[in-house]
Amino acid sequence: MKVQVIYSSLSGQTKKVAQAIFDAIVADDKRLHDLKDGEPTLDGDILLLGYWVDKGGPNAEMKALLSKIQGKAVGIFCTLGYYADSSHAQKSLCAGIDLVKEQNILLGSYVCNGALSESIIARFRKAGTSGPHSASPENELRWEILQSHPTQAELNLAAERFKERVYLYQKYRENGLAFSSIV
Ligand SMILES: Cc1cc2nc3c(=O)[nH]c(=O)nc-3n(C[C@H](O)[C@H](O)[C@H](O)COP(=O)(O)O)c2cc1C
């Protein structure tokens, strides 16, 4: 069974999650693809797809890819610059899931924090101290906390989640069992 881990990462945080997942999964054939190098041929049985959150959903390149995927077993993961247990994080993950769930089997999903890049923080600081993305004391504290994310614990959990789901899907297939999407 072939597994493709495909990710889009502007400043490297989602790439770390993708790499951790890729390193952990066990498959006859596994490949890691960065969307910066273009869209790969989608010839895997399992596609694990990761994006950075832009305006509450998948970034444009990954959104375009997700919209095209059909008939695969897929996993979705993302990183974002707001609390991972917030409704914004859940909605941002669901925005990706919604693009694939009708036409594919969903093996699972994962969302965690990713540090905001220095350039976007600089842009927010220039914008002043009022407004949702401003350099308010509250936002400064969040940006500070986010700097160390994804943490090793988050990388481990992402790796564990998809290692188990890939194993599970392979076992279901070997045993002629029907996998119901985990949404
Ligand atoms: C242009 C831009 C838009 C963003 N929009 C959001 C957003 O809507 N919600 C959010 O929580 N984080 C947002 N972020 C933060 C990134 O999703 C977050 O830092 C992510 O971990 C970056 O991943 P990467 O390093 O793989 O690019 C945005 C970042 C940028 C640069």
Side-chain angles (χ1 to χ4, degrees):
M1 193 167 286
K2 178 169 178 174
V3 182
Q4 291 176 287
V5 179
I6 308 171
Y7 67 91
S8 185
S9 183
L10 197 61
S11 57
Q13 309 311 324
T14 314
K15 180 179 183 172
K16 291 179 198 167
V17 182
Q19 185 71 56
I21 293 168
F22 178 76
D23 290 344
I25 53 179
V26 179
D28 301 333
D29 187 356
K30 60 177 182 177
R31 305 288 162 100
L32 183 63
H33 307 274
D34 183 344
L35 269 191
K36 269 187 196 140
D37 302 327
E39 284 186 13
T41 304
L42 301 178
D43 56 359
D45 305 287
I46 297 176
L47 309 180
L48 304 178
L49 302 143
Y51 55 88
W52 60 276
V53 171
D54 184 8
K55 298 180 216 75
N59 65 286
E61 292 81 2
M62 183 54 79
K63 190 174 179 181
L65 177 64
L66 293 174
S67 308
K68 290 185 226 169
I69 295 172
Q70 291 187 354
K72 301 284 185 184
V74 301
I76 298 289
F77 60 95
C78 63
T79 70
L80 85 169
Y82 198 67
Y83 305 109
D85 51 349
S86 64
S87 64
H88 177 62
Q90 283 307 311
K91 282 180 191 158
S92 301
L93 182 62
C94 286
I97 291 172
D98 285 347
L99 294 171
V100 295
K101 70 178 185 194
E102 302 299 341
Q103 310 280 351
N104 303 276
I105 295 167
L106 193 75
L107 297 185
S109 58
Y110 182 74
V111 55
C112 72
N113 287 143
L116 286 171
S117 64
E118 282 304 319
S119 60
I120 191 127
I121 289 178
R123 211 191 307 164
F124 289 156
R125 283 189 180 134
K126 258 195 200 155
T129 52
S130 65
H133 299 300
S134 63
S136 65
E138 294 84 354
N139 282 344
E140 289 281 359
L141 282 167
R142 177 164 50 86
W143 301 337
E144 181 192 329
I145 290 282
L146 288 179
Q147 282 317 298
S148 58
H149 290 263
T151 60
Q152 191 57 50
E154 287 169 322
L155 297 177
N156 291 348
L157 184 53
E160 178 186 280
R161 166 105 8 115
F162 290 108
K163 181 185 178 184
E164 286 180 356
R165 299 297 166 82
V166 166
Y167 172 82
L168 202 61
Y169 183 69
Q170 288 174 337
K171 287 290 167 195
Y172 268 58
R173 288 278 294 265
E174 279 167 33
N175 293 291
L177 303 170
F179 197 101
S180 297
S181 284
I182 299 173
V183 186

